[in-house]
Amino acid sequence: MKKTPRRRKTKSAHLLGLGLDNEDGHKRLTSAEQFTIVGGSDETHTKMTETVIKTFEELKTRGKHLHAVEPRELAEIIHKSTPR
């Protein structure tokens, strides 16, 4: 039997934000190539979306990709990117 050549798996990563404070019945979903934000009140959904966008801007500034950043560093970037 011939062995099929193995393909190298490309590393990928995806951020998922889940808002649980929705009481108005509105279904909110925002997605992009590397993140998805689901649910939440209007305020929470907007805040999560802004946080993720700023997080990716900071990663770009640092010259890093989501799949390559260490969890501790990512947590620090997310904390820094969260609107107050």
Side-chain angles (χ1 to χ4, degrees), residues 2 7 10 12 15-16 18 22 25 28 31 34 40 42 45 47 55 57 71 76 80 83:
K2 282 187 175 181
R7 292 184 185 176
T10 57
S12 66
L15 289 179
L16 174 65
L18 182 60
N22 183 3
R28 295 175 176 86
S31 64
Q34 291 189 301
D42 184 48
H45 193 89
K47 187 175 179 180
T55 296
E57 288 172 355
E76 177 253 312
K80 177 183 172 186

Side-chain angles (χ1 to χ4, degrees), residues 6-7 13 16 34 36-38 40-41 43-44 46 50-51 56 59 64 68 72 74-75 77 79 81-82:
R6 286 188 173 178
R7 292 184 185 176
L16 174 65
Q34 291 189 301
T36 303
I37 306 295
V38 180
S41 66
E43 180 182 352
T44 298
T46 301
E50 184 178 341
T51 299
F56 280 102
L59 284 171
K64 298 189 175 187
R72 187 176 298 249
L74 180 59
I77 293 169
H79 181 74
S81 300
T82 303

Side-chain angles (χ1 to χ4, degrees), residues 3-11:
K3 287 187 178 181
T4 58
R6 286 188 173 178
R7 292 184 185 176
R8 288 187 179 177
K9 290 186 178 180
T10 57
K11 291 185 179 183

